[in-house]
Amino acid sequence: MPQAKSFIFVFLLIVFAVDSFPQRAEEIGETVRVRLGGNDYKTAISDLVRMRKEFPKAFHSNNYDYLLARLSEKDGDFANAMANYQSVVKRDSVLKEYALWHISEIMRNSGNLFAERLYLKELSANFDQSLLIDAAAKRLARSNFESGNFSAAIEFLERGSGDDSENARDTAEEKSKSREDLVLLGHAYLKTKNLENAREVFTELIDNAPNPEQPDDFALEGAKGLDRLEVGDDNFAKSAPKISDDEHFRRAEIYQFNRRFELARIHYEAIVNNFPDGKNAPISMYQIGRGYAQEREDANAIEWFERLSNRLPNDDLAASSLYNAASSYANLDQTSAAVSRYEKYINENPKATNLERAHLNIIDAYRDAGDDQNALKWTAKTQAQFQTEMGEAVALFSQVRIRLSKEDWQNALNDLNRLREMKNLGGTRIAGGTNKEEVEFLRGFVFEKLGRFVDAINVYLSIPDGRSEYYGWRASERLKTLADAAKTSGLIEQKFKRLQSISQQTLTSANADEIRIASQNAFRLTANKTDQKSLLQRIKRVYALLEDYKSTPTGNLEKFGRTFAQNTKTFTANNRHQTLADELLFLGLFEEATPELETALRENSRKNTGSLSDFSPDTAYTLAVFYKRGDIANRAIGYIEPGWRKVPKDYQIELIPRDQLEMLYPIPYSSSLIKYGKEKSVDPRFVLSIMRQESRFRADVKSVAAARGLMQFISNTSNKMAEEMKIENFAQDDLYDPPTAIRFGSHYIANIFKDFPEKPVAVAASYNGGEDRMLRWFKRSKSDDPDRFVAEIIFSQTKDYAYKVMANYRVYATLYGAELKRVGVNP
């Protein structure tokens, strides 16, 4: 028997040994794909190294050396990345052009610009149809410029500009790229002392701006280039050139729009000093004041506003200067001075279109001074002055906010009841305005404070909830609080049972909408998982009968990409872009694969508007999914959002398909979000919520206010942050780099949270409207409860922004944990 046991033991050892032999190469490849899906790059690298050792032929025939290079580069191991990229190049892989591009990037980042150009030239010479060819040409020119080879840079740039052939692309994107090249060309001419050509290029950048009312980055560079030409590098930004007043004004306006106020002032002041009687002098004084006000330098702003209104009292801008001076005095908490100027403005400009705003600003000035008595006098005066007009509703809402701050609940309710009967509440169009949902929510809130809990529950349930509904969400949160409180839990249970009873009625097309409302509201009142599951099933059946609710976007994932080829040559399709797409999709490199795939598909497409809607629904959906996986989330969200805008706003979040929710709320650049979130102690989901609202994940976007990149920073804010983070040689264009934008965004958000700990809605409002203003609004509310202080946000754009960011945050927190791992609905 002992011998038999010994034999069995040896047999089992052999079995386990065989079973523990290395997996086949294909299985390792599948494991690597799973690792990539979870952003587990380090383990994926280990798996690939193992495959290279055990299955070298399969490793190379499947281009896993390219994947290993990409992952090593992301992991910061540039030596290993270089070795594997070189392997791809040496064996003339189908991915050679991409390997050459990445090698050139590594060379550039290491400071070896000569080597960078060698690899870029090889790419350009051998892959003239590559999607990388334009970027390579641009980098060749810039690399020569950065190396001091200005003549070579000019040669490259002149070769690529001025293409008037029939094949020349003239899309907005291509024109933008061309203008970027012109900027570099102008500076190259400047460096080679070819001043006339430099002047011609810089002038062209200004003259041919796509929208002269909103001059772009390149018009800004044109203005700066001309200034440098005329005053020299040593005097740039210190003295004004000797040019006409009109040219001064043109350049000043470009600087002012791009928020380069210090440069704009040089030209505006030159006009005021050298052409005091010219047509541009008054507006120049006014714009200097506006610039200072934008920079929150209100004392300087007042000096210029009052200089204009005192010197030129009959000028068309004198009234605006008086009004803006009043605003700056208010910002400095000089209440008497602010009120006296607003009153003067009101008396001297009886036909002005913003008289109600002047009245409302007086109310706010008194509130900031803690003088509620005078504030209430002016709310009454304003309502009487603008009776039946929008000004009456906005003034009444100011009165409501004062009542709330004083906890005068009954009078607040009386005012809210009056307000809900008014037709035009201002909404998000008017500063200080409100909307139906906010009024109803505040009524529910006041009912709570008055102990009228049944009324509060009914009001909260009357506000529809959905993924984009801020006050619907807040109402649901208040209902949860009431459900948890001993005093009100019984009332919530009673209401739940009544709604559940309606929900369980026999479903017909006639009562479907009634059952939908009852079911959705019952869901808001219970935390019981069994009841929630049953209600969701009921809601889903109801939706199938309602046209608006059943017409939701759909899409099936199509199959693209090749299969594993263990011992054969790389699969090749007839279309080169299709070949590259198949290869890159197989490796899971969606950021490079998807543009190749879209390019290949467009060669057989009848439409070519640039939109994914050019393709069949399933193909468009597939491309959107791939773009999301590749962190090109703007293309994904651009595809899915229009379809969901057509669906009712209160569509149950839990019934939106998970894949579509993730497309609506993607998590691009997750590594950077997690890295800087931990470093700055901010929730990456909140950073995503800001990013979604700011840029819709377009890394290269610039707003009309000259805010750049994913997080949309203006120059004075980003410069300040660069100093705080001790970032040397920071340039505004660095904000177009996603990791840089996320680093700045995380740092800035962390700073705001210091002012508003654990109050994300106040942080969101501060991000848009400024911390100083949010602190002022916060102080007026006399409460740290967001359900009280949010109503105090006067800027309509800022309030709407806060609504949307918090709605984003709600969904992100439902879908992902703090480490951006999938949780929640259908994880």
Side-chain angles (χ1 to χ4, degrees):
M1 287 294 293
Q3 288 182 340
K5 287 182 179 179
S6 178
F7 173 78
I8 292 170
F9 178 72
V10 171
F11 175 76
L12 289 172
L13 280 177
I14 293 171
V15 169
F16 283 123
V18 170
D19 198 42
S20 65
F21 281 167
Q23 295 171 293
R24 293 183 300 111
E26 185 173 354
E27 292 172 340
I28 297 174
E30 286 301 314
T31 301
V32 167
R33 290 174 70 88
V34 173
R35 310 276 194 213
L36 292 181
N39 294 324
D40 186 0
Y41 298 141
K42 287 186 181 295
T43 312
I45 289 170
S46 297
D47 290 337
L48 288 170
V49 170
R50 173 187 168 197
M51 183 193 291
R52 182 175 60 188
K53 180 179 179 181
E54 297 177 8
F55 307 100
K57 190 171 183 179
F59 178 81
H60 289 101
S61 65
N62 286 279
N63 283 306
Y64 280 121
D65 47 355
Y66 180 74
L67 179 58
L68 180 55
R70 287 294 315 280
L71 296 182
S72 297
E73 189 176 357
K74 288 182 179 182
D75 198 44
D77 186 353
F78 299 109
N80 195 36
M82 277 290 294
N84 283 281
Y85 284 136
Q86 292 285 13
S87 169
V88 174
V89 172
K90 185 176 180 180
R91 61 187 175 77
D92 204 28
S93 161
V94 69
L95 297 178
K96 181 177 179 179
E97 65 197 77
Y98 280 92
L100 288 169
W101 172 256
H102 287 292
I103 293 172
S104 75
E105 287 188 311
I106 292 173
M107 292 294 99
R108 175 170 80 250
N109 292 331
S110 70
N112 191 342
L113 297 181
F114 177 76
E116 176 198 17
R117 292 194 293 277
L118 289 179
Y119 289 107
L120 288 173
K121 286 178 181 177
E122 185 176 355
L123 192 164
S124 300
N126 295 298
F127 301 99
D128 60 344
Q129 297 301 309
S130 174
L131 297 185
L132 300 168
I133 200 70
D134 289 343
K138 190 177 297 295
R139 267 311 308 170
L140 274 168
R142 188 162 289 278
S143 182
N144 276 293
F145 184 91
E146 291 169 358
S147 298
N149 302 328
F150 303 119
S151 296
I154 290 170
E155 182 181 348
F156 274 106
L157 290 164
E158 287 183 333
R159 187 189 309 162
S161 63
D163 187 354
D164 295 324
S165 67
E166 292 181 3
N167 295 324
R169 289 172 289 185
D170 60 356
T171 64
E173 183 179 359
E174 290 301 323
K175 286 179 179 179
S176 176
K177 290 177 181 177
S178 176
R179 286 172 63 74
E180 183 180 354
D181 290 343
L182 278 176
V183 170
L184 192 62
L185 181 60
H187 285 293
Y189 282 139
L190 206 56
K191 293 290 186 181
T192 56
K193 307 300 181 185
N194 193 336
L195 303 186
E196 286 308 309
N197 279 2
R199 181 180 298 278
E200 183 179 333
V201 168
F202 292 138
T203 302
E204 181 182 347
L205 285 166
I206 296 176
D207 288 345
N208 296 331
N211 183 352
E213 299 299 316
Q214 298 175 1
D216 57 15
D217 284 351
F218 312 120
L220 172 63
E221 290 302 315
K224 288 163 65 177
L226 290 173
D227 277 357
R228 287 184 186 279
L229 268 172
E230 288 149 0
V231 301
D233 286 341
D234 291 341
N235 290 318
F236 176 73
K238 297 176 183 176
S239 61
K242 294 181 179 179
I243 52 180
S244 70
D245 60 340
D246 284 339
E247 184 61 18
H248 274 303
F249 188 74
R250 181 166 81 145
R251 294 185 202 176
E253 291 288 272
I254 292 170
Y255 289 134
Q256 188 87 341
F257 177 79
N258 284 278
R259 304 185 71 87
R260 295 300 305 271
F261 301 116
E262 77 286 1
L263 296 178
R265 278 194 288 271
I266 291 172
H267 288 277
Y268 286 136
E269 288 181 3
I271 293 171
V272 173
N273 295 331
N274 301 328
F275 307 95
D277 299 322
K279 66 181 185 301
N280 295 320
I283 193 171
S284 295
M285 285 188 275
Y286 179 75
Q287 290 289 51
I288 292 171
R290 289 282 294 158
Y292 277 127
Q294 292 272 357
E295 294 178 297
R296 307 289 205 275
E297 295 186 28
D298 288 292
N300 287 330
I302 289 168
E303 178 186 343
W304 282 93
F305 287 138
E306 297 204 328
R307 183 176 176 180
L308 172 58
S309 56
N310 291 335
R311 280 193 185 183
L312 303 168
N314 297 321
D315 190 86
D316 291 342
L317 288 169
S320 295
S321 290
L322 177 61
Y323 182 92
N324 280 281
S327 178
S328 287
Y329 276 118
N331 290 338
L332 293 172
D333 292 322
Q334 296 184 29
T335 308
S336 296
V339 170
S340 68
R341 282 156 181 79
Y342 279 130
E343 288 185 313
K344 183 180 180 182
Y345 177 83
I346 291 167
N347 294 331
E348 292 180 356
N349 300 278
K351 295 183 179 180
T353 57
N354 62 341
L355 283 183
E356 76 283 352
R357 186 70 255 160
H359 282 75
L360 294 164
N361 287 347
I362 291 174
I363 297 168
D364 290 336
Y366 278 125
R367 291 196 66 198
D368 289 335
D371 187 348
D372 287 341
Q373 184 176 355
N374 270 319
L376 285 170
K377 285 181 180 178
W378 274 88
T379 60
K381 184 175 182 178
T382 306
Q383 290 173 69
Q385 179 76 25
F386 299 98
Q387 196 169 8
T388 73
E389 299 177 24
M390 188 188 302
E392 180 186 11
V394 180
L396 179 56
F397 188 51
S398 290
Q399 186 167 295
V400 167
R401 297 196 303 271
I402 296 171
R403 308 284 197 205
L404 293 174
S405 72
K406 295 169 71 67
E407 299 188 351
D408 183 358
W409 306 122
Q410 186 58 58
N411 280 321
L413 180 61
N414 295 340
D415 290 343
L416 285 164
N417 287 336
R418 280 182 56 208
L419 198 58
R420 72 195 298 250
E421 300 302 320
M422 295 182 176
K423 293 182 179 180
N424 192 343
L425 302 177
T428 57
R429 297 177 295 107
I430 299 297
T434 185
N435 55 51
K436 178 183 176 183
E437 290 76 19
E438 185 171 45
V439 170
E440 288 303 300
F441 177 83
L442 291 175
R443 287 181 71 245
F445 184 85
V446 171
F447 278 135
E448 266 195 82
K449 296 300 182 181
L450 290 169
R452 295 171 58 178
F453 299 116
V454 171
D455 289 327
I457 292 167
N458 289 332
V459 168
Y460 287 145
L461 288 173
S462 74
I463 306 170
D465 193 8
R467 67 181 181 87
S468 300
E469 299 305 293
Y470 175 78
Y471 274 116
W473 166 55
R474 292 309 308 157
S476 293
E477 292 299 301
R478 300 298 306 187
L479 289 165
K480 289 177 184 177
T481 301
L482 292 171
D484 291 338
K487 186 186 295 186
T488 52
S489 59
L491 296 174
I492 291 289
E493 182 64 23
Q494 290 174 21
K495 187 68 175 180
F496 170 74
K497 287 180 178 178
R498 286 197 292 272
L499 291 170
Q500 188 182 45
S501 176
I502 297 172
S503 170
Q504 293 170 347
Q505 291 177 5
T506 302
L507 180 63
T508 67
S509 57
N511 69 359
D513 204 50
E514 179 187 5
I515 290 176
R516 173 190 66 78
I517 295 170
S519 301
Q520 290 183 174
N521 279 337
F523 186 88
R524 300 167 76 178
L525 295 179
T526 181
N528 183 285
K529 298 298 181 184
T530 302
D531 287 337
Q532 286 184 338
K533 184 176 180 180
S534 174
L535 285 164
L536 285 175
Q537 291 172 347
R538 186 63 166 169
I539 295 167
K540 191 173 183 178
R541 289 195 292 272
V542 174
Y543 283 177
L545 288 180
L546 298 170
E547 195 63 37
D548 289 344
Y549 287 85
K550 70 181 181 181
S551 301
T552 58
T554 58
N556 298 304
L557 200 63
E558 295 181 331
K559 290 185 177 180
F560 290 101
R562 68 171 178 84
T563 56
F564 188 85
Q566 187 166 345
N567 293 305
T568 60
K569 194 174 181 180
T570 300
F571 169 80
T572 304
N574 293 328
N575 181 308
R576 177 168 180 79
H577 292 297
Q578 185 67 59
T579 299
L580 289 166
D582 288 339
E583 203 66 28
L584 292 163
L585 285 170
F586 167 75
L587 295 173
L589 297 171
F590 293 95
E591 70 273 31
E592 293 175 340
T594 315
E596 292 285 357
L597 178 60
E598 183 177 353
T599 301
L601 293 172
R602 286 200 180 280
E603 293 187 3
N604 297 316
S605 176
R606 294 180 180 180
K607 293 176 65 179
N608 192 6
T609 67
S611 168
L612 296 186
S613 61
D614 292 342
F615 303 106
S616 69
D618 286 349
T619 300
Y621 171 78
T622 302
L623 286 168
V625 170
F626 288 173
Y627 273 124
K628 179 184 77 69
R629 292 177 183 174
D631 283 353
I632 310 176
N634 61 295
R635 296 300 307 280
I637 199 170
Y639 160 77
I640 196 69
E641 262 196 324
W644 277 99
R645 287 196 193 108
K646 300 173 184 177
V647 178
K649 294 179 179 180
D650 65 348
Y651 193 98
Q652 198 74 31
I653 296 173
E654 292 80 1
L655 293 179
I656 301 175
R658 176 82 192 212
D659 62 328
Q660 297 198 33
L661 263 179
E662 290 188 357
M663 204 179 293
L664 285 163
Y665 300 90
I667 50 170
Y669 319 113
S670 57
S671 297
S672 294
L673 285 159
I674 293 169
K675 174 184 176 181
Y676 294 117
K678 287 181 178 179
E679 184 180 300
K680 305 296 182 181
S681 298
V682 295
D683 188 337
R685 297 169 298 183
F686 186 71
V687 179
L688 275 166
S689 302
I690 296 278
M691 190 192 304
R692 185 181 189 273
Q693 190 56 35
E694 287 289 343
S695 65
R696 277 306 191 266
F697 306 110
R698 267 198 63 187
D700 62 346
V701 70
K702 179 186 174 187
S703 77
V704 294
R708 293 170 171 83
L710 288 169
M711 305 300 293
Q712 288 289 278
F713 283 111
I714 56 177
S715 57
N716 53 345
T717 304
S718 57
N719 286 334
K720 180 183 177 183
M721 285 191 295
E723 289 179 12
E724 292 174 354
M725 292 186 285
K726 296 180 171 56
I727 297 175
E728 297 181 357
N729 302 316
F730 169 70
Q732 291 300 315
D733 284 357
D734 294 345
L735 295 170
Y736 296 127
D737 172 60
T740 300
I742 291 168
R743 180 184 181 187
F744 275 63
S746 300
H747 178 82
Y748 185 40
I749 289 168
N751 282 349
I752 304 174
F753 266 113
K754 294 175 184 176
D755 288 329
F756 303 101
E758 299 181 10
K759 292 180 178 57
V761 65
V763 174
S766 298
Y767 197 98
N768 179 267
E771 303 97 299
D772 54 344
R773 293 191 180 103
M774 186 62 236
L775 284 166
R776 192 176 291 269
W777 298 326
F778 189 80
K779 181 181 175 183
R780 288 176 193 169
S781 74
K782 300 176 184 175
S783 171
D784 62 358
D785 184 346
D787 291 333
R788 279 176 59 177
F789 70 69
V790 166
E792 292 284 6
I793 299 173
I794 300 302
F795 289 178
S796 53
Q797 175 188 330
T798 298
K799 185 188 281 189
D800 186 58
Y801 178 91
Y803 291 164
K804 289 173 179 174
V805 168
M806 293 308 297
N808 293 343
Y809 188 41
R810 174 198 189 181
V811 179
Y812 273 118
T814 301
L815 293 175
Y816 306 103
E819 294 286 321
L820 300 183
K821 301 295 184 184
R822 301 173 89 215
V823 296
V825 187
N826 302 321

